[in-house]
Amino acid sequence: MVSATVGTGTALGAVLVSLLAAPAQAAAPAATGGADTERVAAAGALAAPDDAGLRKVLRTALTQGAPGAMARIDDNGTVHRLTEGVADRTTRRAISTKDRFRVGSVTKTFSAVVLLQLVDEGKLKLDRSVNSYLPGLLPDNGITVRHVLSHRSGLYDYTNDMFAQTVPGFEAVRNKVFGYRDLVKLSLKKPRTNAPGAAYAYSNTNFVVAGMLIEKLTGHPVATEYQNRIFEPLNLSETFYVHPGTAIPGRHANGYLTPDAAGAALVDATKQTVSWAQSAGAIISTAHDLDTFYSALIRGKLMSAAQLTQMRKWTTVNSTTSYGLGLRRRDLSCGVSVYGHTGTVQGYYTYAFTSKDGKRSLTALANTSNNTTVLNTMYATLESAFCGKPATKAAPRGSAPVERNENIAPGVARY
């Protein structure tokens, strides 16, 4: 079933600081070796969202194995809602843009926001050693907070071993509760991938360390800091951090994990602690709340202009993707850049991005994972949402770059 509605959206909730102008262009860090320019549309304005194109993307995801898929666009007061398929394979309830779901690595942006607020408060310095705040935690005093937040620490991603086999790995940790140090120790059993600052190498270990920094510097659990600093000020009433609880509260989309063996039955992965990720991936939210969050972030409502500039210092990942501090930038085929994060947790793929001015935001979800075909298909929601309709049938947009399941076990070649 497909549904689509367009209507008037609601305003953002209360904010932490007054609106601050985002920088026109963020400089690349030294590690990039040169300028890394953000792209803007030649005409200076975004084309209208392509709802028909979005419908096609969602329908295609279902043919590729997703039980359900949905997208919500908040476009400066106008809301586009599109859904396809089911939230629950047992009851056959249709998926809704109001459903809660596990956002996976989108959590990393929330963690980075808290740490950058602590920089604003004078409690943290980005270029100081992590060990100066967490003595003896890491084997190299040269690993800084900035390295951790930009995935340039060289810390090995323990999920490569944990989820080398997708379903057995998941079932082994589904109900397990880890301490942060347990996860860091798993990482340190393996050699580092590079010297501090030398290269981008995505690792969940980095944002486990980020969670430890939050708790050390504030004296509070990350749940308290997310709630007090982000959820409540932005009125994100559908956003939660329930670790180590296993249930998603209220109405939600179930998540279905695709086994490695072709043709094997999907595994309902909805109930889990997500303790293997915590501050790297355990937040629960909705499309509306994620649109609100990224819009507020890019509009400068969650930190000072100085720290937003730091967040948007980019390291090149590939020809279409750059990474800042807990923030991705995607350069689309129509000449615009969008800002947000992808999210993968067992049973869920999320894309949550906003425009350069924060006036148009998209959150798209497919309630499956470990299916790279679906992951690549859902990337096209960005093109439909921010580029609009292709100019002509004779000159279609370039094909989307191949997406990798980078957020979980990035070093495992599974597909």
Side-chain angles (χ1 to χ4, degrees):
M1 183 181 101
V2 176
S3 68
T5 60
V6 180
T8 302
T10 57
L12 293 174
V15 296
L16 290 175
V17 296
S18 60
L19 182 63
L20 300 167
Q25 179 175 321
T32 65
D36 193 6
T37 305
E38 299 175 73
R39 298 162 65 186
V40 295
L46 297 176
D50 179 9
D51 283 356
L54 274 173
R55 290 190 190 98
K56 183 177 180 181
V57 172
L58 302 183
R59 288 173 178 153
T60 299
L62 263 64
T63 69
Q64 296 166 340
M70 62 87 163
R72 173 176 171 136
I73 300 171
D74 284 88
D75 188 15
N76 202 28
T78 300
V79 180
H80 302 246
R81 304 176 182 89
L82 298 103
T83 64
E84 174 82 16
V86 299
D88 187 320
R89 297 178 72 224
T90 300
T91 67
R92 308 304 297 175
R93 179 178 70 80
I95 199 167
S96 167
T97 56
K98 295 182 179 180
D99 286 340
R100 297 168 182 167
F101 55 90
R102 298 191 185 279
V103 308
S105 287
V106 173
T107 302
K108 291 178 172 66
T109 310
F110 286 81
S111 296
V113 166
V114 174
L115 288 176
L116 287 166
Q117 289 179 358
L118 291 171
V119 174
D120 275 331
E121 294 165 15
K123 298 176 182 177
L124 180 70
K125 292 186 177 180
L126 290 173
D127 295 311
R128 280 189 65 180
S129 170
V130 169
N131 282 348
S132 69
Y133 300 104
L134 298 166
L137 177 68
L138 303 181
D140 191 332
N141 288 333
I143 298 174
T144 67
V145 177
R146 187 188 300 277
H147 293 150
V148 164
L149 293 181
S150 59
H151 291 297
R152 295 186 298 124
S153 68
L155 294 171
Y156 177 79
D157 192 328
Y158 57 86
T159 68
N160 289 329
D161 302 309
M162 190 176 284
F163 303 121
Q165 293 184 309
T166 298
V167 173
F170 167 64
E171 294 294 0
V173 301
R174 180 198 282 261
N175 296 305
K176 193 167 183 178
V177 178
F178 293 93
Y180 283 126
R181 289 185 181 271
D182 297 330
L183 298 173
V184 173
K185 286 178 181 178
L186 291 175
S187 169
L188 297 181
K189 289 181 179 180
K190 294 294 182 72
R192 281 172 282 157
T193 57
N194 52 259
Y200 171 91
Y202 191 96
S203 175
N204 285 284
T205 308
N206 289 313
F207 279 81
V208 170
V209 173
M212 296 180 72
L213 286 167
I214 290 169
E215 296 197 349
K216 177 65 178 292
L217 294 172
T218 66
H220 301 136
V222 292
T224 300
E225 295 304 310
Y226 293 149
Q227 186 70 30
N228 292 344
R229 293 173 176 272
I230 305 173
F231 300 171
E232 287 186 4
L234 294 181
N235 193 29
L236 306 184
S237 60
E238 303 292 324
T239 304
F240 307 90
Y241 184 83
V242 301
H243 175 267
T246 61
I248 300 177
R251 176 171 168 161
H252 60 271
N254 284 14
Y256 297 94
L257 178 60
T258 307
D260 294 333
L266 297 177
V267 174
D268 189 329
T270 310
K271 290 187 176 181
Q272 58 167 305
T273 62
V274 200
S275 194
W276 64 266
Q278 299 186 53
S279 51
I283 282 177
I284 293 163
S285 193
T286 62
H288 168 265
D289 278 11
L290 292 185
D291 283 356
T292 300
F293 169 65
Y294 278 112
S295 176
L297 172 61
I298 292 301
R299 292 185 188 213
K301 296 185 176 184
L302 287 168
M303 63 188 70
S304 68
Q307 298 321 315
L308 188 56
T309 297
Q310 296 300 316
M311 193 176 214
R312 291 171 58 167
K313 286 188 174 180
W314 306 110
T315 298
T316 299
V317 176
N318 57 42
S319 61
T320 62
T321 305
S322 298
Y323 205 91
L325 303 182
L327 188 69
R328 289 190 192 278
R329 191 190 85 214
R330 285 288 170 81
D331 300 329
L332 304 180
S333 66
C334 58
V336 301
S337 298
V338 293
Y339 309 87
H341 215 286
T342 51
T344 302
V345 66
Q346 290 88 355
Y348 304 90
Y349 281 141
T350 303
Y351 283 85
F353 285 82
T354 195
S355 58
K356 187 174 183 178
D357 59 7
K359 291 182 179 180
R360 182 182 299 177
S361 299
L362 162 79
T363 295
L365 170 77
N367 61 341
T368 194
S369 69
N370 199 40
N371 183 328
T372 299
T373 306
V374 170
L375 180 64
N376 275 278
T377 291
M378 293 300 289
Y379 176 91
T381 60
L382 298 177
E383 294 281 332
S384 295
F386 296 101
C387 292
K389 296 180 181 179
T392 66
K393 291 185 178 180
R397 298 188 200 106
S399 59
V402 174
E403 291 283 288
R404 294 180 63 246
N405 199 8
E406 186 183 50
N407 297 311
I408 297 179
V412 176
R414 184 172 285 120
Y415 307 103

